[in-house]
Amino acid sequence: MVNLEWYRTFKAIYKTGTLTGAAEALFISQPGVSLHLGSLEAYVGYKLFDRTGRKMIPTERGKVLFNAVSEPLTKLEDVEKNFQKSTEKHTPTISVGMCFETFQTTLEQYVSTLPFNLIISFGEYPEMLDQLDKGILDLIITPKKGTSPNILHEAFSSEQIILVGGRNVDRDSFKELLKTKDFKEIEGWLKQEKWYGTTGDMEHLFQFWLLNFGHKPNFRPNYIVPNLNSIIRCLKGGIGLAVVPDFLCKNEIESGEVKLIWEGEKKLENTLYFGCRKQTMYQNEIDHIKGLFREMMSRNEGIIV
């Protein structure tokens, strides 16, 4: 079944004559416009535009299709506008992407207070950047910047990646070993311990090991659990090691349920960014969510919790 947004994009391209103009009119990215047009052309089975430089010249079949859909689409858009005006209040919906752990420790507690509808999406950072560029997501929280000219990145905090362990881990003997600066022995001591990892993301462990030992870890974790929050809960059992962002276990370290074992000979820190498109119709809602994150930062001395 054809997607109505494909026709809306087709009409915008026809009216503006360029992919860029259509993207600006619809408040979505140019790749998103291209994706809609490509999908519609594949659906109908023929080209709708000839591309001449930056201009999009409608083909004869494109002209026929425009004449067929333009008036019904305009009527449908009018119905949509009138329906919105007739309701007591139109509630916007925005889509936000971030990692599962960040959502649990930050935005989850505020969801019921938001004055707008919210769709939360979890995924890998490259995927979320691509979805933001295509207009599928409206805001992302990410430690990685994309390269699309349509996306704005705003640094707002940082996280440190640290080595933590259960309360029964012999941290004192490890500290004595650190004084020797014998990193082969240090690595050997760490590899003898039990390790936790997650099914989807081992990047923190890889980066930490590479920075401090010059190579990726040559062992597999003993226990693979669903996410980083699960690791913190498991460490409360007393044994094991893991490499995690500091904000996830700040409270557990302060309470003594989890031990800070090592920050690394070289500290590994990530800058956290808000990512959003340069043009959006949901700026007020995005600013509201940004404000919640900043409020949490100020309460926790600049560290997101």
Side-chain angles (χ1 to χ4, degrees):
M1 184 177 180
V2 70
N3 187 326
L4 183 61
E5 291 303 313
W6 299 349
Y7 284 135
R8 196 193 301 264
T9 301
F10 166 71
K11 179 182 175 183
I13 298 171
Y14 196 99
K15 289 280 191 180
T16 64
T18 65
L19 297 178
T20 301
E24 292 174 352
L26 297 171
F27 295 100
I28 62 176
S29 68
Q30 186 172 319
V33 170
S34 298
L35 180 64
H36 287 179
L37 176 59
S39 299
L40 182 59
E41 288 181 329
Y43 180 81
V44 299
Y46 47 79
K47 286 180 62 176
L48 299 173
F49 294 95
D50 288 321
R51 293 155 177 82
T52 306
R54 295 185 178 181
K55 295 290 291 182
M56 303 292 287
I57 309 299
T59 63
E60 289 303 315
R61 289 181 178 271
K63 293 175 182 178
V64 171
L65 180 62
F66 178 79
N67 290 332
V69 304
S70 179
E71 185 176 352
L73 193 57
T74 299
K75 288 182 178 179
L76 185 59
E77 289 170 344
D78 289 340
V79 168
E80 182 182 31
K81 292 177 183 177
N82 292 331
F83 176 77
Q84 290 177 357
K85 292 178 181 177
S86 68
T87 59
E88 288 187 11
K89 184 178 181 181
H90 172 60
T91 304
T93 299
I94 69 168
S95 298
V96 180
M98 64 186 75
C99 75
F100 177 75
E101 294 84 1
T102 299
F103 172 70
Q104 277 198 318
T105 54
T106 56
L107 197 58
E108 187 177 56
Q109 60 187 302
Y110 293 104
V111 168
S112 63
T113 70
L114 296 177
F116 47 84
N117 299 328
L118 177 71
I119 300 173
I120 290 291
S121 177
F122 306 125
E124 301 296 324
Y125 295 119
E127 178 187 5
M128 287 194 288
L129 283 164
D130 182 61
Q131 291 180 341
L132 176 64
D133 194 32
K134 290 178 179 177
I136 299 171
L137 294 174
D138 301 299
L139 173 70
I140 63 173
I141 311 299
T142 174
K144 295 184 178 181
K145 296 174 68 174
T147 58
S148 170
N150 300 312
I151 297 177
L152 290 173
H153 293 89
E154 178 186 353
F156 69 96
S157 187
S158 63
E159 61 182 9
Q160 184 178 345
I161 309 304
I162 58 176
L163 174 64
V164 296
R167 60 180 177 272
N168 296 332
V169 173
D170 188 359
R171 182 175 56 184
D172 292 336
S173 66
F174 181 68
K175 285 185 174 181
E176 289 300 315
L177 187 57
L178 285 175
K179 294 177 182 179
T180 69
K181 300 293 184 178
D182 186 339
F183 285 93
K184 185 174 182 180
E185 289 294 322
I186 293 171
E187 184 179 17
W189 189 95
L190 292 174
K191 289 166 62 176
Q192 290 178 0
E193 297 293 312
K194 299 292 186 180
W195 279 84
Y196 288 94
T198 60
T199 53
D201 184 9
M202 300 292 287
E203 186 173 355
H204 294 320
L205 175 59
F206 290 165
Q207 288 182 341
F208 187 89
W209 215 265
L210 184 62
L211 184 63
N212 287 283
F213 299 111
H215 60 86
K216 290 185 178 181
N218 55 2
F219 64 92
R220 289 183 57 82
N222 304 89
Y223 311 118
I224 302 295
V225 297
N227 56 65
L228 295 174
N229 283 335
S230 297
I231 288 179
I232 304 303
R233 289 191 290 270
C234 290
L235 287 174
K236 291 180 183 180
I239 65 169
L241 299 174
V243 173
V244 298
D246 57 354
F247 73 86
L248 288 180
C249 52
K250 180 176 181 290
N251 295 333
E252 287 78 7
I253 290 175
E254 290 178 351
S255 67
E257 295 175 292
V258 171
K259 289 181 179 180
L260 171 58
I261 305 300
W262 191 29
E263 292 183 322
E265 182 71 11
K266 300 177 182 178
K267 292 185 179 181
L268 175 59
E269 293 185 342
N270 292 324
T271 300
L272 297 177
Y273 299 92
F274 295 124
C276 61
R277 290 186 303 282
K278 291 180 179 179
Q279 293 184 326
T280 176
M281 63 181 70
Y282 300 118
Q283 193 60 57
N284 291 338
E285 291 74 23
I286 289 172
D287 288 343
H288 185 99
I289 292 181
K290 287 182 178 180
L292 293 177
F293 273 88
R294 293 192 178 100
E295 180 183 335
M296 287 180 279
M297 282 170 47
S298 64
R299 287 205 309 262
N300 295 277
E301 301 178 348
I303 298 175
I304 282 187
V305 295

